Amino acid sequence: MPDAVATLPDPAIATHPRPALCVIVPAYNEATGLEEFHRRLSAVMGRLGRSWQVLYVNDGSTDATLAVMRQLRERDRRVALINLSRNFGKEVAMTAGLDHADADAVIIIDSDLQDPPEVIPELVSVWQEGFDIVYAQRSVRQGETWLKKTTAALFYRLMSDIGNVRLPRDTGDFRLMSRRVVEALRTLREGHRFMKGLFAWVGYPSKAVLYERAPRHIGTTKWNYWKLWNFAIEGITSFTVMPLKIASYLGLLVSVFAAVFIIQLVVRTILFGNPVAGYPSLMAVVLFLGGVQLLTLGVIGEYLGRIFNETKQRPLYLIESFLPPEDM
Ligand code: UDP
Ligand code: MG
């Protein structure tokens, strides 16, 4: 597929034969765990008996992550590295990796060893059976609170109910994707990137492989509930306009209710006169309607803001440096 080769920034690596597998590893402040990660990854990949390379994406880390990556690349000729110009977030870091990976299949894995590299051989063997996307599905979530588990379950539920994509449950970004899936993903350039949704949107035959998600090897998660909340909003607004529909139906419902209320009021006044009362109920209705209106405006604003961001057509990321693998 020559068109994919044309997207590579460095023509020099196009002269190499393409490796079978490319492992994409986004990393943000992971200096402490990266050596151990690379050791375990290499051990697993070595046993596969296929050509492979690993593409580390440094997502603007403020610690020694970049230095560690450089060391790894000096020691291991299969290591490529992208250094982004600043922290862009994991979704964009993965996109940068996908844009630069040139292999028959690509594997995305976290660098904190929560996604055990030991699962990769199984992903590869399912890919060999003819599946384009092989996603690793968590059977156990260790080291996570029940609150996180419940909110995660709720979110998957909501996305499959009102979103137009079916997200596989308990699945992160840890997955293998065939070349045509990666090429399809490259054509999706929206700035608000909800990768799990994009993976699902692409389609193609996919299959799950169960694994046990380990607690973090070292360091702490970069996710807090505020970020997770925003992530969920991103997912919903990227894949469904249902909240806008809910807003209009809510408006319709309230209007109908108000009309009935007014008719009832007029009839009652004609029949029984009007003993004025009900300042509190008036206040309640005004406040309620004010609240509904603000909420609705807010929902519209969420979408409007996203349209605003998308119209700017900014590049998704900027690369400070790209070091291709020396060898495969
Ligand atoms: N990550 C990244 N950019 C960020 C935040 C995280 O590349 O802005 C990477 C991080 O280094 C790790 C992966 O994304 O390899 C998952 O991050 P984390 O472990 O914090 O998330 P969790 O496992 O809790 O979902
Ligand atoms: Mg993690």
Side-chain angles (χ1 to χ4, degrees), residues 200-262:
W201 184 89
V202 167
Y204 292 118
S206 48
K207 195 176 174 189
V209 162
L210 288 177
Y211 78 109
E212 283 186 21
R213 185 157 172 87
R216 240 175 184 279
H217 168 65
I218 206 159
T220 54
T221 175
K222 274 98 204 168
W223 289 97
N224 52 39
Y225 278 101
W226 175 242
K227 281 195 185 169
L228 282 173
W229 167 252
N230 283 318
F231 189 63
I233 291 184
E234 202 69 73
I236 290 166
T237 51
S238 297
F239 282 91
T240 171
V241 291
M242 190 57 115
L244 291 175
K245 285 190 188 161
I246 293 175
S248 6
Y249 287 120
L250 199 66
L252 191 72
L253 203 75
V254 173
S255 313
V256 169
F257 179 78
V260 171
F261 187 71
I262 289 169

Short mmCIF file of all heavy atoms in Angstrom, two decimals, residues 200-262:
data_model
loop_
_atom_site.label_atom_id
_atom_site.label_comp_id
_atom_site.label_asym_id
_atom_site.label_seq_id
_atom_site.Cartn_x
_atom_site.Cartn_y
_atom_site.Cartn_z
N ALA A 200 -14.30 1.97 17.68
CA ALA A 200 -15.54 1.25 17.46
C ALA A 200 -16.21 1.70 16.16
O ALA A 200 -16.82 0.91 15.46
CB ALA A 200 -16.50 1.47 18.64
N TRP A 201 -16.07 3.00 15.86
CA TRP A 201 -16.71 3.55 14.66
C TRP A 201 -16.16 2.89 13.39
O TRP A 201 -16.89 2.64 12.43
CB TRP A 201 -16.47 5.07 14.61
CG TRP A 201 -17.15 5.73 13.46
CD1 TRP A 201 -18.42 6.23 13.46
CD2 TRP A 201 -16.63 5.95 12.15
NE1 TRP A 201 -18.71 6.75 12.22
CE2 TRP A 201 -17.63 6.59 11.39
CE3 TRP A 201 -15.41 5.66 11.54
CZ2 TRP A 201 -17.45 6.95 10.06
CZ3 TRP A 201 -15.24 6.02 10.21
CH2 TRP A 201 -16.25 6.66 9.49
N VAL A 202 -14.86 2.61 13.40
CA VAL A 202 -14.20 2.05 12.22
C VAL A 202 -14.82 0.71 11.82
O VAL A 202 -14.98 0.41 10.64
CB VAL A 202 -12.68 1.89 12.50
CG1 VAL A 202 -12.03 1.03 11.44
CG2 VAL A 202 -12.02 3.25 12.55
N GLY A 203 -15.20 -0.07 12.81
CA GLY A 203 -15.81 -1.36 12.51
C GLY A 203 -14.77 -2.43 12.20
O GLY A 203 -13.75 -2.47 12.86
N TYR A 204 -15.03 -3.26 11.20
CA TYR A 204 -14.20 -4.42 10.84
C TYR A 204 -14.35 -5.54 11.87
O TYR A 204 -14.70 -5.29 13.03
CB TYR A 204 -12.72 -4.06 10.65
CG TYR A 204 -12.44 -3.19 9.46
CD1 TYR A 204 -11.90 -1.90 9.61
CD2 TYR A 204 -12.70 -3.64 8.17
CE1 TYR A 204 -11.64 -1.10 8.52
CE2 TYR A 204 -12.43 -2.84 7.07
CZ TYR A 204 -11.91 -1.57 7.24
OH TYR A 204 -11.66 -0.78 6.16
N PRO A 205 -14.04 -6.77 11.45
CA PRO A 205 -14.21 -7.89 12.38
C PRO A 205 -13.33 -7.70 13.61
O PRO A 205 -12.14 -7.41 13.49
CB PRO A 205 -13.72 -9.09 11.56
CG PRO A 205 -13.82 -8.68 10.14
CD PRO A 205 -13.59 -7.20 10.12
N SER A 206 -13.94 -7.81 14.78
CA SER A 206 -13.13 -7.65 15.99
C SER A 206 -13.48 -8.72 17.00
O SER A 206 -14.57 -9.31 16.97
CB SER A 206 -13.33 -6.26 16.58
OG SER A 206 -14.70 -5.97 16.66
N LYS A 207 -12.55 -8.97 17.89
CA LYS A 207 -12.74 -10.02 18.88
C LYS A 207 -12.04 -9.63 20.18
O LYS A 207 -11.02 -8.94 20.15
CB LYS A 207 -12.16 -11.33 18.35
CG LYS A 207 -12.62 -12.53 19.14
CD LYS A 207 -12.11 -13.82 18.53
CE LYS A 207 -12.47 -14.98 19.45
NZ LYS A 207 -11.83 -16.21 19.05
N ALA A 208 -12.60 -10.07 21.28
CA ALA A 208 -12.01 -9.75 22.59
C ALA A 208 -11.10 -10.86 23.06
O ALA A 208 -11.31 -12.03 22.76
CB ALA A 208 -13.11 -9.53 23.61
N VAL A 209 -10.08 -10.48 23.79
CA VAL A 209 -9.24 -11.44 24.50
C VAL A 209 -9.28 -11.01 25.96
O VAL A 209 -9.03 -9.85 26.27
CB VAL A 209 -7.79 -11.40 23.96
CG1 VAL A 209 -6.83 -12.03 24.94
CG2 VAL A 209 -7.70 -12.06 22.60
N LEU A 210 -9.63 -11.92 26.84
CA LEU A 210 -9.76 -11.55 28.26
C LEU A 210 -8.40 -11.52 28.94
O LEU A 210 -7.53 -12.33 28.65
CB LEU A 210 -10.67 -12.53 28.99
CG LEU A 210 -12.16 -12.42 28.65
CD1 LEU A 210 -12.95 -13.48 29.39
CD2 LEU A 210 -12.69 -11.03 28.98
N TYR A 211 -8.24 -10.56 29.83
CA TYR A 211 -7.00 -10.52 30.62
C TYR A 211 -7.30 -9.89 31.96
O TYR A 211 -8.34 -9.25 32.15
CB TYR A 211 -5.91 -9.75 29.88
CG TYR A 211 -6.03 -8.24 29.96
CD1 TYR A 211 -5.15 -7.49 30.72
CD2 TYR A 211 -7.05 -7.58 29.27
CE1 TYR A 211 -5.26 -6.11 30.78
CE2 TYR A 211 -7.16 -6.21 29.33
CZ TYR A 211 -6.26 -5.47 30.09
OH TYR A 211 -6.39 -4.11 30.15
N GLU A 212 -6.37 -10.07 32.89
CA GLU A 212 -6.53 -9.45 34.20
C GLU A 212 -5.73 -8.17 34.23
O GLU A 212 -4.52 -8.18 34.07
CB GLU A 212 -6.03 -10.41 35.29
CG GLU A 212 -7.02 -11.50 35.57
CD GLU A 212 -6.60 -12.36 36.75
OE1 GLU A 212 -5.79 -11.90 37.58
OE2 GLU A 212 -7.07 -13.50 36.82
N ARG A 213 -6.43 -7.07 34.45
CA ARG A 213 -5.75 -5.79 34.50
C ARG A 213 -5.02 -5.65 35.83
O ARG A 213 -5.62 -5.77 36.89
CB ARG A 213 -6.74 -4.65 34.34
CG ARG A 213 -6.09 -3.27 34.25
CD ARG A 213 -7.02 -2.32 33.56
NE ARG A 213 -6.56 -0.94 33.59
CZ ARG A 213 -5.74 -0.41 32.68
NH1 ARG A 213 -5.27 -1.16 31.71
NH2 ARG A 213 -5.39 0.86 32.75
N ALA A 214 -3.73 -5.41 35.74
CA ALA A 214 -2.91 -5.34 36.94
C ALA A 214 -3.02 -3.95 37.55
O ALA A 214 -3.35 -3.00 36.88
CB ALA A 214 -1.46 -5.63 36.58
N PRO A 215 -2.72 -3.84 38.87
CA PRO A 215 -2.59 -2.50 39.42
C PRO A 215 -1.35 -1.83 38.82
O PRO A 215 -0.48 -2.52 38.30
CB PRO A 215 -2.42 -2.73 40.92
CG PRO A 215 -2.32 -4.18 41.13
CD PRO A 215 -2.47 -4.89 39.83
N ARG A 216 -1.29 -0.52 38.90
CA ARG A 216 -0.12 0.18 38.37
C ARG A 216 1.17 -0.37 38.94
O ARG A 216 1.29 -0.57 40.14
CB ARG A 216 -0.23 1.66 38.73
CG ARG A 216 -0.25 2.55 37.52
CD ARG A 216 -0.49 3.98 37.95
NE ARG A 216 -0.62 4.81 36.76
CZ ARG A 216 0.41 5.25 36.07
NH1 ARG A 216 1.65 4.99 36.46
NH2 ARG A 216 0.24 5.97 34.99
N HIS A 217 2.18 -0.59 38.10
CA HIS A 217 3.47 -1.11 38.54
C HIS A 217 4.16 -0.10 39.44
O HIS A 217 4.67 -0.39 40.50
CB HIS A 217 4.32 -1.42 37.30
CG HIS A 217 5.75 -1.69 37.59
ND1 HIS A 217 6.16 -2.77 38.32
CD2 HIS A 217 6.87 -1.01 37.25
CE1 HIS A 217 7.48 -2.74 38.42
NE2 HIS A 217 7.93 -1.69 37.78
N ILE A 218 4.15 1.15 39.02
CA ILE A 218 4.83 2.21 39.76
C ILE A 218 4.20 3.55 39.37
O ILE A 218 3.59 3.66 38.32
CB ILE A 218 6.35 2.17 39.43
CG1 ILE A 218 7.18 2.76 40.56
CG2 ILE A 218 6.65 2.86 38.11
CD1 ILE A 218 8.61 2.29 40.51
N GLY A 219 4.32 4.54 40.25
CA GLY A 219 3.74 5.84 39.94
C GLY A 219 2.25 5.87 40.19
O GLY A 219 1.67 4.92 40.70
N THR A 220 1.60 6.99 39.82
CA THR A 220 0.16 7.10 40.05
C THR A 220 -0.56 7.41 38.76
O THR A 220 0.04 7.88 37.80
CB THR A 220 -0.16 8.22 41.06
OG1 THR A 220 0.46 9.42 40.57
CG2 THR A 220 0.33 7.91 42.44
N THR A 221 -1.86 7.15 38.75
CA THR A 221 -2.65 7.42 37.56
C THR A 221 -2.78 8.92 37.34
O THR A 221 -2.76 9.69 38.28
CB THR A 221 -4.05 6.77 37.67
OG1 THR A 221 -4.81 7.18 36.54
CG2 THR A 221 -4.76 7.21 38.93
N LYS A 222 -2.91 9.30 36.06
CA LYS A 222 -3.06 10.73 35.75
C LYS A 222 -4.54 11.10 35.70
O LYS A 222 -4.89 12.21 35.34
CB LYS A 222 -2.41 11.05 34.41
CG LYS A 222 -0.94 11.35 34.50
CD LYS A 222 -0.11 10.14 34.16
CE LYS A 222 1.26 10.22 34.78
NZ LYS A 222 1.94 8.93 34.67
N TRP A 223 -5.39 10.14 36.04
CA TRP A 223 -6.83 10.40 35.94
C TRP A 223 -7.40 10.77 37.28
O TRP A 223 -7.13 10.11 38.27
CB TRP A 223 -7.56 9.17 35.42
CG TRP A 223 -7.27 8.91 34.00
CD1 TRP A 223 -6.34 8.03 33.51
CD2 TRP A 223 -7.87 9.52 32.87
NE1 TRP A 223 -6.34 8.08 32.15
CE2 TRP A 223 -7.27 8.99 31.72
CE3 TRP A 223 -8.86 10.49 32.72
CZ2 TRP A 223 -7.62 9.38 30.44
CZ3 TRP A 223 -9.21 10.87 31.45
CH2 TRP A 223 -8.60 10.32 30.32
N ASN A 224 -8.20 11.83 37.33
CA ASN A 224 -8.99 12.08 38.51
C ASN A 224 -10.44 12.16 38.05
O ASN A 224 -10.72 12.06 36.85
CB ASN A 224 -8.55 13.37 39.21
CG ASN A 224 -8.52 14.54 38.25
OD1 ASN A 224 -9.38 14.66 37.39
ND2 ASN A 224 -7.53 15.41 38.38
N TYR A 225 -11.37 12.33 39.00
CA TYR A 225 -12.77 12.25 38.61
C TYR A 225 -13.19 13.39 37.70
O TYR A 225 -14.04 13.21 36.84
CB TYR A 225 -13.67 12.14 39.84
CG TYR A 225 -13.71 10.72 40.32
CD1 TYR A 225 -12.96 10.30 41.41
CD2 TYR A 225 -14.44 9.78 39.61
CE1 TYR A 225 -12.95 8.98 41.80
CE2 TYR A 225 -14.43 8.46 40.00
CZ TYR A 225 -13.69 8.07 41.09
OH TYR A 225 -13.69 6.75 41.45
N TRP A 226 -12.57 14.55 37.86
CA TRP A 226 -12.91 15.68 37.00
C TRP A 226 -12.52 15.34 35.56
O TRP A 226 -13.27 15.57 34.62
CB TRP A 226 -12.21 16.93 37.51
CG TRP A 226 -12.40 18.13 36.64
CD1 TRP A 226 -11.44 18.83 35.97
CD2 TRP A 226 -13.64 18.78 36.30
NE1 TRP A 226 -11.99 19.86 35.25
CE2 TRP A 226 -13.34 19.85 35.44
CE3 TRP A 226 -14.98 18.56 36.64
CZ2 TRP A 226 -14.32 20.70 34.91
CZ3 TRP A 226 -15.95 19.39 36.12
CH2 TRP A 226 -15.62 20.45 35.27
N LYS A 227 -11.31 14.76 35.39
CA LYS A 227 -10.87 14.39 34.05
C LYS A 227 -11.75 13.29 33.46
O LYS A 227 -12.08 13.31 32.28
CB LYS A 227 -9.42 13.89 34.10
CG LYS A 227 -8.39 14.99 34.18
CD LYS A 227 -7.01 14.44 33.87
CE LYS A 227 -5.95 15.50 34.05
NZ LYS A 227 -4.61 14.92 34.02
N LEU A 228 -12.13 12.33 34.33
CA LEU A 228 -12.98 11.25 33.84
C LEU A 228 -14.34 11.77 33.39
O LEU A 228 -14.90 11.33 32.39
CB LEU A 228 -13.16 10.18 34.93
CG LEU A 228 -11.99 9.22 35.12
CD1 LEU A 228 -12.22 8.33 36.33
CD2 LEU A 228 -11.80 8.35 33.88
N TRP A 229 -14.86 12.74 34.17
CA TRP A 229 -16.15 13.34 33.84
C TRP A 229 -16.07 14.01 32.47
O TRP A 229 -16.92 13.83 31.60
CB TRP A 229 -16.51 14.34 34.95
CG TRP A 229 -17.63 15.28 34.64
CD1 TRP A 229 -17.52 16.62 34.39
CD2 TRP A 229 -19.03 14.97 34.56
NE1 TRP A 229 -18.76 17.15 34.16
CE2 TRP A 229 -19.71 16.17 34.25
CE3 TRP A 229 -19.77 13.80 34.72
CZ2 TRP A 229 -21.09 16.23 34.10
CZ3 TRP A 229 -21.15 13.86 34.55
CH2 TRP A 229 -21.79 15.07 34.26
N ASN A 230 -14.99 14.78 32.26
CA ASN A 230 -14.82 15.45 30.98
C ASN A 230 -14.64 14.45 29.84
O ASN A 230 -15.09 14.67 28.73
CB ASN A 230 -13.62 16.40 31.03
CG ASN A 230 -13.97 17.67 31.79
OD1 ASN A 230 -15.06 18.22 31.61
ND2 ASN A 230 -13.10 18.10 32.66
N PHE A 231 -13.95 13.37 30.16
CA PHE A 231 -13.73 12.31 29.18
C PHE A 231 -15.08 11.72 28.75
O PHE A 231 -15.34 11.49 27.57
CB PHE A 231 -12.86 11.23 29.84
CG PHE A 231 -12.37 10.16 28.91
CD1 PHE A 231 -11.54 10.46 27.85
CD2 PHE A 231 -12.73 8.84 29.10
CE1 PHE A 231 -11.08 9.48 27.00
CE2 PHE A 231 -12.27 7.85 28.26
CZ PHE A 231 -11.44 8.17 27.20
N ALA A 232 -15.96 11.52 29.73
CA ALA A 232 -17.28 10.98 29.44
C ALA A 232 -18.09 11.95 28.58
O ALA A 232 -18.74 11.55 27.60
CB ALA A 232 -18.03 10.68 30.74
N ILE A 233 -18.02 13.25 28.89
CA ILE A 233 -18.73 14.25 28.10
C ILE A 233 -18.19 14.25 26.68
O ILE A 233 -18.94 14.33 25.69
CB ILE A 233 -18.59 15.65 28.74
CG1 ILE A 233 -19.38 15.67 30.05
CG2 ILE A 233 -19.11 16.73 27.79
CD1 ILE A 233 -19.39 17.01 30.72
N GLU A 234 -16.86 14.14 26.56
CA GLU A 234 -16.23 14.07 25.24
C GLU A 234 -16.80 12.89 24.45
O GLU A 234 -17.15 13.02 23.29
CB GLU A 234 -14.71 13.87 25.46
CG GLU A 234 -13.87 14.29 24.29
CD GLU A 234 -13.88 15.78 24.10
OE1 GLU A 234 -13.26 16.48 24.89
OE2 GLU A 234 -14.53 16.24 23.15
N GLY A 235 -16.88 11.76 25.11
CA GLY A 235 -17.38 10.56 24.45
C GLY A 235 -18.81 10.75 23.97
O GLY A 235 -19.16 10.44 22.83
N ILE A 236 -19.64 11.30 24.84
CA ILE A 236 -21.05 11.43 24.50
C ILE A 236 -21.24 12.47 23.40
O ILE A 236 -21.90 12.22 22.39
CB ILE A 236 -21.87 11.81 25.76
CG1 ILE A 236 -21.89 10.59 26.69
CG2 ILE A 236 -23.27 12.23 25.39
CD1 ILE A 236 -22.37 10.88 28.08
N THR A 237 -20.61 13.64 23.55
CA THR A 237 -20.83 14.69 22.54
C THR A 237 -20.17 14.35 21.21
O THR A 237 -20.58 14.88 20.17
CB THR A 237 -20.28 16.05 23.03
OG1 THR A 237 -18.94 15.87 23.46
CG2 THR A 237 -21.11 16.60 24.15
N SER A 238 -19.15 13.49 21.22
CA SER A 238 -18.50 13.13 19.96
C SER A 238 -19.35 12.15 19.17
O SER A 238 -19.17 12.01 17.97
CB SER A 238 -17.14 12.49 20.20
OG SER A 238 -16.27 13.38 20.82
N PHE A 239 -20.21 11.42 19.83
CA PHE A 239 -20.89 10.35 19.12
C PHE A 239 -22.41 10.41 19.13
O PHE A 239 -23.05 9.58 18.53
CB PHE A 239 -20.41 8.99 19.66
CG PHE A 239 -19.07 8.65 19.09
CD1 PHE A 239 -17.91 9.01 19.73
CD2 PHE A 239 -18.98 8.03 17.85
CE1 PHE A 239 -16.68 8.75 19.17
CE2 PHE A 239 -17.75 7.77 17.28
CZ PHE A 239 -16.59 8.12 17.94
N THR A 240 -22.98 11.38 19.81
CA THR A 240 -24.42 11.47 19.77
C THR A 240 -24.89 12.90 20.03
O THR A 240 -24.26 13.65 20.78
CB THR A 240 -25.08 10.52 20.79
OG1 THR A 240 -26.47 10.81 20.83
CG2 THR A 240 -24.51 10.70 22.18
N VAL A 241 -25.99 13.29 19.37
CA VAL A 241 -26.60 14.59 19.64
C VAL A 241 -27.83 14.39 20.52
O VAL A 241 -28.67 15.28 20.63
CB VAL A 241 -26.97 15.34 18.33
CG1 VAL A 241 -25.73 15.76 17.60
CG2 VAL A 241 -27.85 14.47 17.45
N MET A 242 -27.90 13.23 21.16
CA MET A 242 -29.03 12.92 22.03
C MET A 242 -29.30 14.00 23.07
O MET A 242 -30.47 14.37 23.27
CB MET A 242 -28.81 11.55 22.69
CG MET A 242 -30.01 11.03 23.41
SD MET A 242 -31.46 10.90 22.34
CE MET A 242 -31.71 9.17 22.31
N PRO A 243 -28.26 14.54 23.76
CA PRO A 243 -28.56 15.59 24.74
C PRO A 243 -29.31 16.78 24.14
O PRO A 243 -30.18 17.36 24.79
CB PRO A 243 -27.18 16.01 25.23
CG PRO A 243 -26.34 14.80 25.05
CD PRO A 243 -26.85 14.16 23.80
N LEU A 244 -29.01 17.13 22.88
CA LEU A 244 -29.75 18.22 22.23
C LEU A 244 -31.21 17.83 22.02
O LEU A 244 -32.11 18.63 22.22
CB LEU A 244 -29.11 18.56 20.88
CG LEU A 244 -27.74 19.21 20.92
CD1 LEU A 244 -27.17 19.37 19.53
CD2 LEU A 244 -27.81 20.56 21.62
N LYS A 245 -31.41 16.56 21.64
CA LYS A 245 -32.79 16.10 21.45
C LYS A 245 -33.53 16.11 22.78
O LYS A 245 -34.67 16.54 22.85
CB LYS A 245 -32.79 14.67 20.89
CG LYS A 245 -32.41 14.61 19.43
CD LYS A 245 -32.69 13.22 18.89
CE LYS A 245 -32.15 13.09 17.49
NZ LYS A 245 -31.97 11.69 17.11
N ILE A 246 -32.86 15.63 23.82
CA ILE A 246 -33.49 15.63 25.14
C ILE A 246 -33.91 17.05 25.50
O ILE A 246 -35.01 17.28 26.00
CB ILE A 246 -32.53 15.05 26.21
CG1 ILE A 246 -32.30 13.57 25.93
CG2 ILE A 246 -33.10 15.25 27.62
CD1 ILE A 246 -31.28 12.93 26.85
N ALA A 247 -33.03 18.03 25.17
CA ALA A 247 -33.34 19.43 25.48
C ALA A 247 -34.61 19.86 24.77
O ALA A 247 -35.50 20.47 25.37
CB ALA A 247 -32.17 20.32 25.07
N SER A 248 -34.74 19.52 23.47
CA SER A 248 -35.96 19.96 22.76
C SER A 248 -37.19 19.25 23.31
O SER A 248 -38.24 19.87 23.44
CB SER A 248 -35.85 19.75 21.25
OG SER A 248 -34.71 19.08 20.89
N TYR A 249 -37.08 17.97 23.62
CA TYR A 249 -38.25 17.27 24.14
C TYR A 249 -38.64 17.79 25.51
O TYR A 249 -39.83 17.89 25.83
CB TYR A 249 -38.01 15.76 24.18
CG TYR A 249 -38.04 15.17 22.79
CD1 TYR A 249 -36.94 14.50 22.27
CD2 TYR A 249 -39.18 15.30 21.98
CE1 TYR A 249 -36.96 13.99 20.98
CE2 TYR A 249 -39.21 14.79 20.71
CZ TYR A 249 -38.11 14.13 20.21
OH TYR A 249 -38.14 13.64 18.94
N LEU A 250 -37.63 18.14 26.29
CA LEU A 250 -37.91 18.72 27.60
C LEU A 250 -38.67 20.03 27.43
O LEU A 250 -39.67 20.29 28.12
CB LEU A 250 -36.58 18.96 28.33
CG LEU A 250 -36.67 19.13 29.83
CD1 LEU A 250 -37.11 17.83 30.46
CD2 LEU A 250 -35.31 19.55 30.39
N GLY A 251 -38.22 20.84 26.46
CA GLY A 251 -38.89 22.10 26.16
C GLY A 251 -40.33 21.87 25.76
O GLY A 251 -41.25 22.53 26.24
N LEU A 252 -40.53 20.89 24.89
CA LEU A 252 -41.87 20.56 24.41
C LEU A 252 -42.76 20.15 25.58
O LEU A 252 -43.90 20.61 25.74
CB LEU A 252 -41.77 19.42 23.39
CG LEU A 252 -43.02 19.13 22.60
CD1 LEU A 252 -43.26 20.26 21.59
CD2 LEU A 252 -42.88 17.81 21.84
N LEU A 253 -42.23 19.28 26.41
CA LEU A 253 -42.97 18.75 27.55
C LEU A 253 -43.41 19.89 28.47
O LEU A 253 -44.58 19.98 28.87
CB LEU A 253 -42.08 17.77 28.30
CG LEU A 253 -42.79 16.74 29.16
CD1 LEU A 253 -43.39 15.67 28.25
CD2 LEU A 253 -41.80 16.11 30.13
N VAL A 254 -42.46 20.78 28.79
CA VAL A 254 -42.76 21.90 29.69
C VAL A 254 -43.80 22.81 29.06
O VAL A 254 -44.71 23.28 29.74
CB VAL A 254 -41.46 22.66 30.05
CG1 VAL A 254 -41.78 23.91 30.84
CG2 VAL A 254 -40.53 21.76 30.86
N SER A 255 -43.69 23.06 27.75
CA SER A 255 -44.66 23.92 27.07
C SER A 255 -46.07 23.34 27.14
O SER A 255 -47.03 24.05 27.43
CB SER A 255 -44.28 24.12 25.59
OG SER A 255 -42.93 24.42 25.48
N VAL A 256 -46.17 22.05 26.85
CA VAL A 256 -47.47 21.38 26.90
C VAL A 256 -48.05 21.50 28.32
O VAL A 256 -49.21 21.86 28.52
CB VAL A 256 -47.36 19.90 26.48
CG1 VAL A 256 -48.65 19.16 26.79
CG2 VAL A 256 -47.01 19.79 25.01
N PHE A 257 -47.21 21.24 29.28
CA PHE A 257 -47.63 21.32 30.67
C PHE A 257 -48.12 22.73 30.99
O PHE A 257 -49.18 22.91 31.60
CB PHE A 257 -46.46 20.92 31.57
CG PHE A 257 -46.79 21.00 33.03
CD1 PHE A 257 -47.55 19.98 33.63
CD2 PHE A 257 -46.36 22.06 33.81
CE1 PHE A 257 -47.85 20.05 34.97
CE2 PHE A 257 -46.68 22.14 35.15
CZ PHE A 257 -47.42 21.13 35.74
N ALA A 258 -47.38 23.75 30.53
CA ALA A 258 -47.74 25.14 30.79
C ALA A 258 -49.08 25.48 30.14
O ALA A 258 -49.93 26.15 30.74
CB ALA A 258 -46.64 26.07 30.28
N ALA A 259 -49.29 25.00 28.91
CA ALA A 259 -50.54 25.28 28.19
C ALA A 259 -51.72 24.71 28.96
O ALA A 259 -52.72 25.40 29.18
CB ALA A 259 -50.46 24.67 26.78
N VAL A 260 -51.59 23.46 29.38
CA VAL A 260 -52.66 22.82 30.15
C VAL A 260 -52.92 23.60 31.43
O VAL A 260 -54.06 23.88 31.81
CB VAL A 260 -52.28 21.35 30.48
CG1 VAL A 260 -53.28 20.76 31.46
CG2 VAL A 260 -52.20 20.54 29.21
N PHE A 261 -51.85 24.03 32.04
CA PHE A 261 -51.93 24.78 33.29
C PHE A 261 -52.69 26.08 33.08
O PHE A 261 -53.57 26.45 33.87
CB PHE A 261 -50.51 25.04 33.80
CG PHE A 261 -50.45 25.66 35.16
CD1 PHE A 261 -50.79 24.91 36.28
CD2 PHE A 261 -50.05 26.99 35.32
CE1 PHE A 261 -50.73 25.49 37.53
CE2 PHE A 261 -49.99 27.55 36.59
CZ PHE A 261 -50.33 26.80 37.69
N ILE A 262 -52.38 26.79 31.99
CA ILE A 262 -53.03 28.08 31.69
C ILE A 262 -54.53 27.88 31.43
O ILE A 262 -55.37 28.59 32.00
CB ILE A 262 -52.36 28.76 30.47
CG1 ILE A 262 -50.96 29.25 30.88
CG2 ILE A 262 -53.20 29.93 29.98
CD1 ILE A 262 -50.11 29.70 29.72
#
